[in-house]
Amino acid sequence: MAASPNPTPAGGPLVEGPADPEHDPTAAYALEPDYVAGLTARLVATTGRTVAVTSPLDGAPLAHVPQSSEADVAEAFARARRAQAVWARVPVAERAAMLLRLHDLVLERQDEIIDLIVLESGKARKHAFDEPLHIALTARYYARTARQHLDTQRKRGVVPGLTRVEVNHVPKGVVGIISPWNYPFTMALCDGLPALLAGNAVVTKPDAQTMLTALLGARLLDEAGFPQDLWQVVAGPGRELGGPIIERSDYVCFTGSTATGKLIAAQCAERLIGCSLELGGKNPLLVLRDADLEKAAEGAVRASFSNAGQLCVSMERMYVADQVYDRFVERFVARTQAMTLGATLAWENDMGSLISQDQLDTVTAHVDDAVAKGARVLTGGRARPDLGPFYYEPTILEGVTPDMTCFGHETFGPVVSLYRFHDEADAVARANDGDYGLNASIYSQDGGRARAIARQVKCGTVNINEAFGATFASIDSPMGGMRESGMGRRQGSEGIHRYTESQSVATQRLVRFAPMLGMSDETYAKVMTANLRLMKKLGRA
């Protein structure tokens, strides 16, 4: 979905002059106005301003989205804090039951969800399906493991049998979430679900380009039984609302660019609040000499061109062993050329559109710069306005050098560069080159060797014989970046404990930590020293 550069007054026209909807997709709304009104009613937005949004598939108008002010952000947080004070007293089992209802709702309503994702983002339907799938997995995982993560835990006390220690996981309060456009349903909800389960409220600002999908997620939370005030949604530019959100949050979760992530981290540090940031990546894929080349070529297509490359964990660099380079490239190029592109809601498209003119301009600039400096296009390399306003062919480059923009800068589009390697140590070093460290992939038929190499790769997730799905869909494992690809983790225990404060409660019986029975301080020190030595001999931690 592309947001118009100039806000349009509420109810104002999206097009001027007569037009025939049968032949001009911009002449009529792609969504029923009543349906859109039901979604946007969920916003805390009182400015009277709206922004017109259109579909990247064909430019068809979708909605006028009401815009929020700083006062609206303040109101959203006030409502959330009131709701959180009540919610924190709701038993964890009841919270988990709501997540399981959400799981069922998402699966039942997946066609509605997928349609809206495709209309707003332009991605292929097969890639849009990943989003309700991921949210169902996330909701079920945290519902089923709630007690494992949140129950009070017993710890060893300093005096065996006489010191009882418990650790509570106390909710932080209100979590601020700023989510991106590239996975509008997944990213709008997945980070907030464990926050709710842990007893927090959420104020979220989804990206302007995919606001309707995020609002559908909020509606489903309501239908699953979560109190409506517990999940607040505001709309507006990050430069206007980001600061007010951070100023009022007890914790901030952000997914987006490294540059913006650094600014958010600095603002959170000023307030001494925590944050988790999933940021950019220039992700490497390694094809080792013993790889199954058919499997590697199939995975490379998904790794590079899922969601038209607009995926933080997608691959933009491939390092292929000399011994198999030519055979791999032949298979990879052939599979890429066989892909079907289309601007429809149907399942048969292998790749959809970029989301906006800005993304198209970036992809075009990166490819044109590489070609001008000597890179070779093995396939693709062209925009496809015949398919839709922002389509670009899946593109494979060879001969990319460090002086080319796409060598080290994230393209975030359907462009991948191929490199030969002879020595695996050199391949690992090149994979670790640069400042990013989000995701990597290794193809080899020797799983043990591949896992050993993975430990040397400076990325938060590494997939063996898979592009990104193995780690991303395994909700029990943490997911996030190293170095400038971010800090903190979503998923697993880390993904819910980030929203809690650990509180230790110790109860002491009989023995006090001071001299007793007329004992001098010197004698007390000797007794404690002897006790420490005894505990070591007994093997106690």
Side-chain angles (χ1 to χ4, degrees), residues 479-501:
M479 187 269 166
M482 298 181 183
R483 300 184 287 173
E484 292 203 357
S485 286
M487 55 189 288
R489 295 290 184 270
R490 64 166 54 97
Q491 304 188 168
S493 60
E494 293 92 334
I496 189 168
H497 287 159
R498 58 181 164 163
Y499 300 127
T500 67
E501 299 284 5

Side-chain angles (χ1 to χ4, degrees), residues 485-528:
S485 286
M487 55 189 288
R489 295 290 184 270
R490 64 166 54 97
Q491 304 188 168
S493 60
E494 293 92 334
I496 189 168
H497 287 159
R498 58 181 164 163
Y499 300 127
T500 67
E501 299 284 5
S502 295
Q503 180 194 59
S504 297
V505 179
T507 304
Q508 188 64 30
R509 295 188 293 271
L510 300 179
V511 176
R512 66 179 184 231
F513 291 98
M516 297 176 62
L517 304 174
M519 186 184 296
S520 69
D521 288 334
E522 182 179 4
T523 301
Y524 172 74
K526 289 178 180 179
V527 170
M528 292 302 291

Side-chain angles (χ1 to χ4, degrees), residues 282 316-317 362 365-377 397-411 415-419 433:
K282 190 72 177 175
E316 296 192 7
R317 302 180 288 153
T362 297
H366 279 206
V367 174
D368 289 352
D369 170 77
V371 171
K373 294 174 180 175
R376 297 174 297 281
V377 177
L397 300 177
E398 197 176 48
V400 171
T401 55
D403 62 320
M404 301 174 187
T405 305
C406 70
F407 179 85
H409 291 81
E410 185 178 28
T411 303
V415 180
V416 63
S417 303
L418 299 177
Y419 307 89
D433 191 28

Side-chain angles (χ1 to χ4, degrees), residues 240-303:
E240 295 179 13
L241 302 188
I245 289 172
I246 295 168
E247 289 168 9
R248 294 169 174 82
S249 296
D250 300 305
Y251 188 92
V252 174
C253 180
F254 170 75
T255 303
S257 72
T258 296
T260 302
K262 289 180 177 180
L263 294 176
I264 290 173
Q267 293 175 68
C268 290
E270 278 291 317
R271 296 194 54 232
L272 293 179
I273 63 171
C275 63
S276 53
L277 312 168
E278 191 210 287
L279 308 177
K282 190 72 177 175
N283 305 305
L285 183 149
L286 280 63
V287 180
L288 306 187
R289 63 182 178 273
D290 66 341
D292 179 325
L293 297 185
E294 289 295 340
K295 181 182 291 186
E298 184 277 331
V301 169
R302 287 185 291 109

Side-chain angles (χ1 to χ4, degrees), residues 202-415:
V202 169
V203 175
T204 178
K205 191 199 83 64
D207 190 275
Q209 296 176 99
T210 51
M211 184 63 68
L212 299 180
T213 304
L215 289 169
L216 176 56
R219 171 185 282 182
L220 293 176
L221 287 171
D222 297 343
E223 294 179 20
F226 290 95
Q228 184 168 324
D229 280 353
L230 202 63
W231 187 277
Q232 299 289 323
V233 189
V234 294
R239 63 182 178 276
E240 295 179 13
L241 302 188
I245 289 172
I246 295 168
E247 289 168 9
R248 294 169 174 82
S249 296
D250 300 305
Y251 188 92
V252 174
C253 180
F254 170 75
T255 303
S257 72
T258 296
T260 302
K262 289 180 177 180
L263 294 176
I264 290 173
Q267 293 175 68
C268 290
E270 278 291 317
R271 296 194 54 232
L272 293 179
I273 63 171
C275 63
S276 53
L277 312 168
E278 191 210 287
L279 308 177
K282 190 72 177 175
N283 305 305
L285 183 149
L286 280 63
V287 180
L288 306 187
R289 63 182 178 273
D290 66 341
D292 179 325
L293 297 185
E294 289 295 340
K295 181 182 291 186
E298 184 277 331
V301 169
R302 287 185 291 109
S304 306
F305 307 128
S306 291
N307 196 22
Q310 299 169 120
L311 173 59
C312 294
V313 293
S314 67
M315 302 300 161
E316 296 192 7
R317 302 180 288 153
M318 289 190 188
Y319 300 97
V320 185
D322 272 334
Q323 297 91 332
V324 298
Y325 183 89
D326 293 335
R327 285 178 288 152
F328 169 79
V329 170
E330 179 183 5
R331 289 166 171 78
F332 182 33
V333 170
R335 284 181 175 272
T336 301
Q337 291 174 339
M339 292 174 65
T340 58
L341 280 64
T344 71
L345 292 172
W347 283 99
E348 64 264 16
N349 300 321
D350 291 322
M351 197 183 87
S353 173
L354 295 166
I355 195 170
S356 67
Q357 186 65 47
D358 283 347
Q359 291 302 119
L360 178 62
D361 289 346
T362 297
V363 171
T364 301
H366 279 206
V367 174
D368 289 352
D369 170 77
V371 171
K373 294 174 180 175
R376 297 174 297 281
V377 177
L378 301 185
T379 189
R382 297 181 304 158
R384 291 293 300 275
D386 56 308
L387 296 174
F390 311 130
Y391 272 79
Y392 199 92
E393 293 177 337
T395 299
I396 302 173
L397 300 177
E398 197 176 48
V400 171
T401 55
D403 62 320
M404 301 174 187
T405 305
C406 70
F407 179 85
H409 291 81
E410 185 178 28
T411 303
F412 216 63
V415 180

